[in-house]
Amino acid sequence: MNNEFLSRRQFIAGTAAAMAASRLRADEPAKIIKGKAEHCIFIWLGGGMSHIDTFDPKRRGDPAKKLAGSYYDSIDTAVKGVKVCEHLKGIAPLMDRITAVRTIHHDVIDEHAAAVNRMHTGRVVSGTVIYPSVGSIIAHERGAAADGAPPYVLIGYPNVTRGPGFLGSRDGYLYLTDTSQGPAGLSRAPDVSNERQLRREAFLTQTRESAQARLGDDSRVRDYAAAIEQSLKLSGPEFTRVFKLDEEKADLRKEYGGEFGQRCLLARRLIERGVRFIEVSHNLNFLNGTGWDAHNTGIKKQHELIIELDIAMAALIRDLEARKMLDKTLIVVATEFGRPPEFDSGGGRGHHGQAFSGVLAGGGLKHTGAHGVTDDLARKVVSDSCSVPDFFATIHAAMGIDYSKSLYDGDRPVPITDRGMPIAKLFG
Amino acid sequence: MKTFTKLLIATTAIFATVTHAADLVSRWDFGTEEIARLTPHGGVHRDVPGPRAPEFLDFDAENTAVKFDGSGAHFVFSETAANGPYSFKNGDSITLEAWVDITESKDGENVYVIGKGRTGDPAFAKDNQNWALRLRKLDGLEHVSFLFATPRKDQAKGKDSHFHRWTSKAGFTPGSGWHRVAISYTYGEPDSIRGWLDADPADGTWDMGGETRDAPVVDDDAIWIASSMGGSASTSFRGSIDAISIYRGLVPDDVMRGRCRKATPTAVKAPAKVATVETAPFATILPPGKVVVTLSDGLKAHDAFPARDDEPKALMRWETDQLLVPRMPMKYDDWGIRQSWSGPALLRAEAEISLPPGKHRLLFRAREMGRLWVNGKVIARTKTHSGSADGYQPVPAVSEPPAPGVHPADYGDKEAFGDAEIGPDGRCHVVLEAILGAKKFRAETGELCVMVQTSDGKSYALVEGKFDESKRMNEDNWKAAASRAEKALSDLDDANRYAASSTQNAFWDKRHIAGRQWTEKHPAAVAPKLDGVAHPIDSFINARIQTAVAASAASNAEEAKHFYEKVLPILSENCFRCHGDKEKGGLRLNSRESALKSGASGKAAVVPGHPEKSDMLERITSKDEDERMPPTGERIKPEHVAILNAWIKAGASWPALRVTPEEVAQPRVVDDPAFVRRAYLDAIGVPPTEAEARAFSADTSADKRVKLIDRLLADVRYPDAWMGYWQDVLAENPNILKPSLNNSGPFRWFLYESMRDNKAFDRMVTELLMLRGSATEGGSAGFGMAADNDSPFAAKGQIVGSAFLGIELQCARCHDSPYHTTKQRDLYSIAAMFARKPLTVPKTSTVPAAFFEKKARESLIKVTLKHGEELKPEWPFAKTCGVAEGADISALMQKPDDSRERLAALITAPQNQRFASVIVNRAWKRLIGAGIVEPAYDWEGHAPSHPELLAWLAQEFVAHDYDFKHLVRTIMTSQMYQREATGRNLKLAPERRFFVAPERRRLNAEQIVDSLFAASGKTINVEELTFDPDTRSSATTLTSLGVPRRAWQFASLSNERDRPSLSLPRAQAVIDVLEAFGWFGSRQSPHTDRETDPNVLQPGVLENSTMSTWITRVSERSELAELAIKAESPEALVDSIFMRFLSRPPAKADRERFVQALALGFSNRIIPADQIKEPYVPVRLPKITWSTHLMAEATTVKLEMERRARLGDPADPRLNPAWRDVYEDVIWSVINSPEFVWMP
């Protein structure tokens, strides 16, 4: 097993010899790489994107003949020598703004929840610490980019691995599950018109005065009252405008494509409004039922997912570039794990963690189309291995966050990543 | 297999109380998702076909296995700490079982199916085979073989003598398809060896190393599947493997045979219609008008009814009045703690009704296999589940009602019809038999019932003891019948539980007598006698105030103010963590006397008048990293250094605390509306109803407050008020999906029922720690589980320490605590007591030497346990708790040689005053808002503000047999509790914490949600908390937490997979509100205090959330609608709204404002009957379950459910919409008033 992806506690339990070879690098001068990205859009492909069918294509396989290999043909891209799957037509000409990190790896492939946790916290759970998600860490370190904006918005289902862990609810997310509505708790019920809301607030003035008389002067009650003001503001027209996608030009909305594209468009609008980190989930499982977890017959419509990703991501990159926001917006495509080159008995694919791809775009990085090399069937890392902590350190570095620092769970120092080192090539 | 079976993460100690011959430790099924951390190496291919139905009856038709290429391909499982569940010592029994389809191996080769040790890891001896199941090829046949090693004694004894191999005589041909192989063995007893090949036992011989009684090698080397010795080719399995199980214990032959059922070749081709000889059950003597139900468990099969003489003995029998069983009754162990059903259960329900002679149509509904007898003949049958539960099953169509308007069969239930010919006597003797549950799925009844078609043929009526065919089963009648049935079951559960738990009463009576005797011998402080103060709590508090006021008279006001407001806070914030009540480096800074002394540095921290000579100032300004203080974190700000400098220069005076009578003047006791609301919320978690609040105000008796408190504490809702608190403190963290992320079992039911029965607190804690009953279905055993945790008992030790002893052990998991005196040794010693065996620190829980090398200064943390050091079960807290192991503790135990019971006894013994004090302080804090000791979970270095009061409360608690209700009553009846909530105790140091008044408390999340539902008169109408509503899986894989009735019953919805098809949109709507107010869906670690800082989402969810829409909507037939319709005047309506939601009448301004708003259109608010437009009723939707959730339709259905949830229930059509909007807006403004979320 490679030391790179051991947890801190497993790591520190290793033998002295392993220690010497490890990435502790205690004696190296602490030269911190810092990028200049201001925002991050973290696209999540739940279930496990098949890297060999997308960003790390190899020879064609054939499920009928049980011949291992890619499910689709590959095409050339803007970067010489870097190929992607034929369904990534929109992204292919933009690969010079993108780096597919092809050599991420970890050892949790049997259990989705554990893999989701690994790829949101960047580390192994230990039982004694509840680790924060990457979104919460970035919210914690950098806060919102503008006054009156939440630092972290999730477009997807709430769950504990996306949460703030020991950092506490201040660094948690606001969430929404689709673009037809604003975040839970901050978007008004469908049957409440502006007129009704005005009446409600007028009534509320009365009950608040009455409450004041009963509760007396208490600083905590005062703070709660301030939170009421703030929530009324955030659910009011000024902030909720950001969710009104119909303010965008019809052509642009069309360019972004379906619901997933609209989520990406909303992410761009949220960034403009000052949100620091947005996780956009691609969980449009009605396309094939299983989403990216394409076991068995789930693979038959996998290309529809890939095409939807392609359309939306290409539109997002072009749109951000046109608005001169691409360099300050890091786009990350992350997933649970990859899938093996072999086909399962139903023609689909199982889970594979020894090598898989994550994608970085924009964010002011020096993109190279692809980073790292896997073997002939994308099973194993051949060169430029990138551990999960390294991938997370790269995200932090791009966001200008000191990836070597520690956060504190009470008194306990917790390194911000599991001793990851950023991919230096992408910087400076 | 596609049905997900999981590895039981908790160690086997949990199983010690289970009576099975063998307990499953691990099972790997190699489906698409698995919990166990198997790391693949080399050519390992998942998702290949495994043994499948129809040939193999115990597997799905789409079952998958894993294939190995040989040449070292293997899986590694490394969570194998020595002394863990995978370690077998002499006297321990092991059973290993697997399915294999081996392609080939060479003659004489021994290929591994699964083995522990001998992995080639250089950290271990080469020949450390703990155990292994292998296939040995001889003469062309694969034989079942078992191998283990005993420690090597000396070379002289000859090579290989320490290896012991047993091989079966029978074998099978490689390439001949799937075979089941298994062995069982008790170490130290060579004759105990037993092998199985396919369904049959197989004889064999010890063919290497011979028999031995010696103990085997036991270590923490890994488990490998399909290879060994670093991946040597000749030991590597080529072919497929499935369903590997490891048991502790010997699995008997009949069970083994039952696990390898094969269809006969002919049956595969044409499933024969075997004529079953069925005999009708003996008719019971039925009490008139009653239905009799009997239940037994432990059936051998779930897909065939046993012969009458082979039926297990009935476990329970009850009488009810209708043939409807909406759920299983609970099964309790002999302490009254929930247990799982063992094997499939058989339920028989019997009734006799009268029908007109002639032909009648009956229907019955059952979840699985069932048959309906009428007058001795079977007239209808249902079958057991078929198909796979893998997620790819088509979404079944919504069931049609059997006749228009009749409640249709629930999703997942099966429905069958049959005709009965009733004779001239009109006798219709109905017996329903149903098999419930199986090895692979949970036992649930579904909506088990029998109905008779009405004589007009247009409807159905439920079979009841007093049958009345006019009671047609429309939705209303069905709901009424189901709730009666639920009530009957709940009474049955209570009765069964009391009966079982009463076996322990004598023991606890004895314990409590000992407790009372102890308090008599060790009397605590007596409450001071003060004029006009009746309650002891008030006496203690008032006396302390008086003393402090008197002492401060001598103090200089100016100087004291400066010192306590400017100087001391700097010291307490920056220094007291180590140098306060604790002493670090020989230094304490909590008094002038201590500060003037020299610590370990040899220099005095403070030299009055000479800042330049004071070590403290030197250290806080030092630029030397090795010297500076505080040692970590931010430096003390320069302006604060200046204040300290000036203070020392001026002589470092430490004046007595200045307390003026005005500062400690006690506010008045609250008025009736505030009191009644506060008492209800604290005692039962919901506010009073309008009628209750009015009745209390109207009551003029002098002792009405005490009477109310007594009535509330006797209320059946009392446990609901405390559940969330103990769930947090004890880190109850069940998952509705396979356990991960520190999940425990749902021991909420143990806690709830303990409080429902008002079990003495020492008894509840003891029974919790004894880990009894079902780990996955509600026993206290669930507390012992900690998934994804390398040392579950250490994790539990930490919880126990903070919950019951106020000892914080979090740091001690990996190193000695830097800011506490607790050591690693302490934690692992109690963990070992809990585990009933010595424990070592797992490899993953320590700190390496390199960590310390990197540090510039001497580290604050120290690792004092050597790697691999075994910690014996030992009580480390004799000094802290004042109780030591000894004969007096043994006298409090049932089994004095059980270290787990000893741990429980040491914690709950009356001698352990720390326990009683910690518990009373917890209750105090919860009701008053600040503890006498803060924080309540970590007492080290934190002095009590009122030591005598604390001791008195603890003594009262013990003297009243640890009756928690008595404790709550004692606190609630004090004047202190009833004063206006203007207290500022929480943030103050103990010497300034006078408890002049209770804190202003914000309602907790559960109180807010429960209050919203209660005040609006609505029930929490959400989905059952499960992904398996049709019971297709075992409770270890997918379980159900039931349909929540109160907020504490929610849990994380576990949609880490982010699949819309797995969302529970209605439950999520409630959870959104709970989480905003600080509730934890997932309690990976214990919490005493929740975050209470306001955030924007708190008012946000009350203003805008889906749940807020439900609450404020004046929905059809809701109480709010009835209230509006029946209101005599706008004034009366406004009064009612305020009484309901805020427990008080509106103030003058409130009344004016809202009466004005509601008067407009009030007289026309009701729509004439002939103009009412009934609301649109949307079509029913299928339930989406785990079995169907990966189909595209599942997502579409769920999205529609989400849409409907957001929309809420339709409004009442009888009310004029324009007026109704205003009415709803008034309600909205009341629930959004801060008054709603703050305790009055």
Side-chain angles (χ1 to χ4, degrees), chain B residues 183-400:
Chain B
I183 68 92
S184 71
Y185 182 61
T186 303
Y187 285 100
E189 297 171 25
D191 293 341
S192 66
I193 186 78
R194 190 121 181 95
W196 288 272
L197 178 54
D198 295 326
D200 302 316
D203 284 343
T205 52
W206 290 101
D207 61 346
M208 183 176 72
E211 302 181 353
T212 182
R213 295 191 180 277
D214 291 352
V217 172
V218 181
D219 58 27
D220 55 359
D221 200 357
I223 292 172
W224 279 33
I225 293 172
S227 188
S228 179
M229 303 193 316
S232 93
S234 65
T235 64
S236 299
F237 188 97
R238 279 149 281 166
S240 305
I241 298 182
D242 196 17
I244 300 182
S245 302
I246 305 169
Y247 301 85
R248 290 189 82 85
L250 303 175
V251 179
D253 279 351
D254 57 335
V255 176
M256 271 304 198
R257 188 169 286 119
R259 297 172 52 82
C260 182
R261 297 181 306 149
K262 259 170 125 172
T264 57
T266 48
V268 173
K269 280 174 201 147
K273 276 191 183 170
V274 185
T276 321
V277 183
E278 284 182 318
T279 49
F282 293 112
T284 315
I285 299 167
L286 289 163
K290 289 288 175 193
V291 175
V292 171
V293 190
T294 56
L295 188 60
S296 55
D297 67 352
L299 296 195
K300 288 181 187 136
H302 71 284
D303 49 4
F305 280 99
R308 292 291 163 205
D309 55 1
D310 209 19
E311 274 181 17
K313 215 175 121 228
L315 273 179
M316 53 182 92
R317 174 189 182 281
W318 69 98
E319 291 172 10
T320 171
D321 47 15
Q322 43 188 5
L323 217 164
L324 164 62
V325 187
R327 66 164 168 87
M328 292 291 273
M330 297 304 159
K331 184 180 173 186
Y332 294 102
D333 75 357
D334 52 11
W335 286 15
I337 294 172
R338 285 195 190 185
Q339 248 186 329
S340 295
W341 297 97
S342 54
L346 175 66
L347 181 143
R348 182 177 302 124
E350 191 175 349
E352 187 155 318
I353 58 174
S354 234
L355 291 177
K359 201 166 158 186
H360 290 270
R361 167 145 283 219
L362 278 78
L363 80 76
F364 83 97
R365 292 173 183 156
R367 181 52 64 84
E368 300 165 46
M369 176 166 257
R371 59 186 177 188
L372 178 64
W373 302 80
V374 173
N375 295 342
K377 276 187 202 138
V378 175
I379 65 158
R381 298 171 192 281
T382 54
K383 286 185 183 156
T384 188
H385 291 317
S386 61
S388 158
D390 62 357
Y392 295 94
Q393 298 302 302
V395 177
V398 172
S399 60
E400 288 297 323

Side-chain angles (χ1 to χ4, degrees), chain B residues 925-1164:
Chain B
K925 171 157 192 188
R926 190 136 194 271
L927 295 167
I928 303 297
I932 298 170
V933 180
E934 279 292 342
Y937 56 89
D938 178 10
W939 283 32
E940 186 175 334
H942 302 289
S945 62
H946 294 70
E948 294 87 5
L949 170 60
L950 183 68
W952 179 83
L953 282 168
Q955 167 121 351
E956 274 282 297
F957 188 43
V958 179
H960 285 84
D961 306 346
Y962 294 87
D963 179 352
F964 198 78
K965 275 189 190 176
H966 175 80
L967 170 64
V968 172
R969 182 185 190 277
T970 305
I971 298 169
M972 285 178 73
T973 48
S974 69
Q975 297 281 292
M976 161 65 198
Y977 169 80
Q978 299 179 27
R979 291 189 195 286
E980 285 208 41
T982 57
R984 305 270 193 281
N985 304 292
L986 188 63
K987 295 245 163 79
L988 294 176
E991 68 274 10
R992 310 200 74 184
R993 203 184 301 142
F994 288 106
F995 289 114
V996 173
E999 307 293 285
R1000 174 69 67 193
R1001 290 175 287 155
R1002 205 209 62 214
L1003 299 195
N1004 63 46
E1006 292 93 323
Q1007 286 168 335
I1008 289 170
V1009 164
D1010 285 336
S1011 298
L1012 285 167
F1013 281 102
S1016 62
K1018 295 183 176 171
T1019 50
I1020 301 181
N1021 174 20
V1022 301
E1023 302 91 346
E1024 179 182 355
L1025 300 181
T1026 186
F1027 294 139
D1028 185 37
D1030 52 349
T1031 52
R1032 301 297 306 263
S1033 295
S1034 69
T1036 51
T1037 308
L1038 297 173
T1039 194
S1040 170
L1041 295 175
V1043 180
R1045 175 184 57 76
R1046 291 284 294 254
W1048 63 265
Q1049 293 170 353
F1050 283 86
S1052 162
L1053 295 184
S1054 303
N1055 198 357
E1056 278 76 18
R1057 285 160 179 73
D1058 208 24
R1059 294 176 183 157
S1061 56
L1062 291 181
S1063 69
L1064 298 175
R1066 295 190 67 93
Q1068 184 65 55
V1070 179
I1071 285 178
D1072 285 347
V1073 178
L1074 285 170
E1075 283 191 323
F1077 286 100
W1079 173 86
F1080 304 98
S1082 174
R1083 303 181 186 90
Q1084 295 177 51
S1085 55
H1087 287 275
T1088 286
D1089 304 316
R1090 289 185 186 164
E1091 279 184 54
T1092 53
D1093 290 347
N1095 66 52
V1096 65
L1097 269 182
Q1098 291 165 0
V1101 291
L1102 295 181
E1103 288 156 13
N1104 306 303
S1105 72
T1106 297
M1107 196 189 112
S1108 152
T1109 302
W1110 299 347
I1111 296 297
T1112 52
R1113 174 77 43 82
V1114 178
S1115 54
E1116 203 185 358
R1117 297 202 291 178
S1118 63
E1119 285 185 22
L1120 293 175
E1122 294 301 322
L1123 198 67
I1125 283 171
K1126 292 187 182 139
E1128 283 168 10
S1129 65
E1131 287 79 5
L1133 185 56
V1134 170
D1135 279 6
S1136 286
I1137 294 168
F1138 273 76
M1139 291 303 288
R1140 263 178 177 263
F1141 286 93
L1142 301 175
S1143 320
R1144 66 166 171 95
K1148 191 161 164 278
D1150 299 327
R1151 190 176 275 125
E1152 278 166 12
R1153 184 77 181 85
F1154 296 122
V1155 166
Q1156 183 202 27
L1158 290 172
L1160 193 70
F1162 183 79
S1163 51
N1164 300 324

Side-chain angles (χ1 to χ4, degrees), chain B residues 151-195:
Chain B
R152 199 183 270 277
K153 284 173 187 157
D154 57 64
Q155 295 297 328
K157 287 202 108 182
K159 211 179 153 208
D160 279 340
S161 68
H162 64 299
F163 270 119
H164 303 274
R165 183 178 72 207
W166 179 92
T167 305
S168 70
K169 286 178 189 155
F172 64 89
T173 320
S176 60
W178 285 99
H179 295 274
R180 198 273 301 271
V181 292
I183 68 92
S184 71
Y185 182 61
T186 303
Y187 285 100
E189 297 171 25
D191 293 341
S192 66
I193 186 78
R194 190 121 181 95

Side-chain angles (χ1 to χ4, degrees), chain B residues 715-882:
Chain B
D715 192 288
V716 71
R717 293 168 290 180
Y718 157 81
D720 295 321
W722 283 91
M723 281 300 298
Y725 181 75
W726 293 114
Q727 285 172 303
D728 278 5
V729 168
L730 299 170
E732 196 246 11
N733 188 28
N735 208 14
I736 55 175
L737 197 49
K738 296 165 292 178
S740 64
L741 301 175
N742 242 359
N743 282 135
S744 72
F747 62 94
R748 53 182 57 194
W749 307 119
F750 165 76
L751 295 175
Y752 176 75
E753 290 179 344
S754 297
M755 288 194 271
R756 186 176 170 94
D757 300 344
N758 199 28
K759 254 180 208 166
F761 203 83
D762 54 345
R763 177 173 176 178
M764 179 169 103
V765 171
T766 301
E767 293 182 355
L768 175 77
L769 299 183
M770 292 309 288
L771 307 181
R772 301 268 306 196
S774 169
T776 52
E777 292 177 286
S780 60
F783 177 61
M785 194 195 289
D788 277 349
N789 197 305
D790 55 13
S791 191
F793 281 111
K796 300 306 165 181
Q798 184 198 325
I799 295 170
V800 168
S802 64
F804 303 134
L805 302 173
I807 297 174
E808 179 54 75
L809 292 162
Q810 188 190 359
C811 306
R813 181 72 172 264
C814 301
H815 48 74
D816 294 348
S817 309
Y819 306 117
H820 292 80
T821 55
T822 47
K823 306 267 184 277
Q824 260 185 307
R825 180 174 297 281
D826 300 337
L827 175 61
Y828 285 91
S829 300
I830 61 163
M833 291 187 86
F834 211 168
R836 296 181 163 135
K837 61 192 177 192
L839 286 183
T840 50
V841 179
K843 282 184 280 192
T844 42
S845 287
T846 185
V847 185
F851 173 82
F852 299 105
E853 284 160 17
K854 197 184 151 208
K855 286 274 166 182
R857 61 180 288 158
E858 194 195 342
S859 176
L860 287 170
I861 61 169
K862 290 201 167 40
V863 174
T864 46
L865 284 186
K866 284 191 218 78
H867 172 58
E869 188 176 342
E870 261 196 0
L871 275 300
K872 293 197 176 49
E874 219 163 35
W875 174 245
F877 299 127
K879 209 174 135 208
T880 316
C881 297

Side-chain angles (χ1 to χ4, degrees), chain B residues 132-158:
Chain B
L133 173 65
R134 311 192 298 177
L135 296 179
R136 173 164 171 77
K137 184 133 177 236
L138 292 169
D139 301 325
L141 294 180
E142 302 286 352
H143 300 259
V144 184
S145 186
F146 176 60
L147 180 76
F148 71 95
T150 48
R152 199 183 270 277
K153 284 173 187 157
D154 57 64
Q155 295 297 328
K157 287 202 108 182

Side-chain angles (χ1 to χ4, degrees), chain B residues 374-580:
Chain B
V374 173
N375 295 342
K377 276 187 202 138
V378 175
I379 65 158
R381 298 171 192 281
T382 54
K383 286 185 183 156
T384 188
H385 291 317
S386 61
S388 158
D390 62 357
Y392 295 94
Q393 298 302 302
V395 177
V398 172
S399 60
E400 288 297 323
V406 175
H407 174 72
D410 192 14
Y411 183 91
D413 285 354
K414 296 166 178 76
E415 187 171 56
F417 296 85
D419 292 332
E421 192 67 41
I422 300 302
D425 60 355
R427 177 175 180 266
C428 177
H429 179 238
V430 179
V431 183
L432 172 64
E433 291 182 299
I435 296 182
L436 309 157
K439 187 177 67 195
K440 290 199 300 193
F441 28 87
R442 285 182 294 125
E444 275 194 17
T445 59
E447 291 178 346
L448 187 75
C449 64
V450 181
M451 296 189 209
V452 182
Q453 195 172 37
T454 52
S455 44
D456 62 1
K458 286 184 180 162
S459 190
Y460 282 83
L462 192 66
V463 169
E464 298 187 74
K466 293 188 185 110
F467 181 66
D468 173 5
E469 82 146 37
S470 69
K471 259 213 248 146
R472 298 171 177 226
M473 278 298 114
N474 59 27
E475 288 300 338
D476 284 348
N477 283 336
W478 174 263
K479 256 185 217 149
S483 88
R484 256 163 60 219
E486 171 53 43
K487 172 77 173 57
L489 282 167
S490 163
D491 291 347
L492 174 74
D493 290 342
D494 284 347
N496 285 342
R497 192 175 64 250
Y498 295 145
S501 68
S502 64
T503 58
Q504 293 296 302
N505 290 352
F507 171 74
W508 286 100
D509 289 347
K510 209 178 79 188
R511 286 270 312 244
H512 292 144
I513 289 168
R516 272 178 256 153
Q517 284 168 345
W518 195 89
T519 57
E520 280 156 22
K521 273 192 212 144
H522 303 82
V526 180
K529 286 208 167 37
L530 300 178
D531 279 347
V533 182
H535 198 291
I537 286 177
D538 297 313
S539 303
F540 281 112
I541 283 176
N542 294 1
R544 197 180 138 217
I545 291 172
Q546 288 175 8
T547 313
V549 170
S552 75
S555 182
N556 175 308
E558 225 18 63
E559 196 180 54
K561 188 172 155 61
H562 178 75
F563 178 76
Y564 283 98
E565 285 176 17
K566 303 282 184 210
V567 180
L568 194 60
I570 301 173
L571 294 178
S572 65
E573 265 166 45
N574 296 291
C575 316
F576 279 13
R577 189 156 67 175
C578 298
H579 307 294

